[in-house]
Amino acid sequence: MKQLQVTDHYKVVKVEFAAGHSMPRHTATSDAFLIVESGKALLIFEKETVELSQGITQPIPANEEHMLKIVDDFKAYIIMANESKINFSKPGQQKLN
C-alpha cells in the first residue's frame, strides 16, 4: 500500500498485489471507496463476497471487517477520510495509517 495524495479531508492509497496473495482481515475507521484499475480479486465480508474487476467502484463501510483475496494481478485505489486508520484483526499484524 502506498499513500498517493493527502488533503485536509481525504487520502488516496494505491494497492497492488500479485495473483495468489491476500490482504488479511481488517477494518478501517472511516467509509472507503475502492476503485479497481486492473486485475481481479474477491472482497470478502462476513456475510457477503464481492467480485472485483477493472472499472468497479466498491464502497466499504467503516468498521466492517473484510479481507481481499487476489485472483489475478490486482491494482486499485482506495479513497478514505484523511484521519482514517486501517486496523488488522490478528495480533501482530501491521497497523496502517
Side-chain angles (χ1 to χ4, degrees), residues 15 18 59 79:
V15 293
I79 301 170

mmCIF file of all heavy atoms in Angstrom, residues 15 18 59 79:
data_model
loop_
_atom_site.group_PDB
_atom_site.id
_atom_site.type_symbol
_atom_site.label_atom_id
_atom_site.label_comp_id
_atom_site.label_asym_id
_atom_site.label_seq_id
_atom_site.Cartn_x
_atom_site.Cartn_y
_atom_site.Cartn_z
ATOM 1 N N VAL A 15 -3.118 0.298 -3.995
ATOM 2 C CA VAL A 15 -2.821 -1.073 -3.577
ATOM 3 C C VAL A 15 -2.492 -1.897 -4.815
ATOM 4 O O VAL A 15 -3.160 -1.783 -5.837
ATOM 5 C CB VAL A 15 -3.987 -1.725 -2.790
ATOM 6 C CG1 VAL A 15 -4.192 -1.039 -1.468
ATOM 7 C CG2 VAL A 15 -5.276 -1.714 -3.572
ATOM 8 N N ALA A 18 0.066 -9.261 -6.304
ATOM 9 C CA ALA A 18 0.176 -10.305 -7.325
ATOM 10 C C ALA A 18 -0.884 -11.378 -7.064
ATOM 11 O O ALA A 18 -1.343 -11.555 -5.930
ATOM 12 C CB ALA A 18 1.570 -10.931 -7.279
ATOM 13 N N PRO A 59 -17.985 0.514 -2.462
ATOM 14 C CA PRO A 59 -17.940 1.140 -1.142
ATOM 15 C C PRO A 59 -17.622 0.102 -0.070
ATOM 16 O O PRO A 59 -18.033 -1.066 -0.175
ATOM 17 C CB PRO A 59 -19.352 1.700 -0.968
ATOM 18 C CG PRO A 59 -20.211 0.903 -1.882
ATOM 19 C CD PRO A 59 -19.333 0.417 -3.001
ATOM 20 N N ILE A 79 -10.025 5.467 -1.583
ATOM 21 C CA ILE A 79 -10.231 6.840 -1.124
ATOM 22 C C ILE A 79 -10.942 6.759 0.211
ATOM 23 O O ILE A 79 -11.966 6.073 0.336
ATOM 24 C CB ILE A 79 -11.063 7.642 -2.131
ATOM 25 C CG1 ILE A 79 -10.351 7.655 -3.485
ATOM 26 C CG2 ILE A 79 -11.315 9.055 -1.616
ATOM 27 C CD1 ILE A 79 -11.177 8.211 -4.614
#
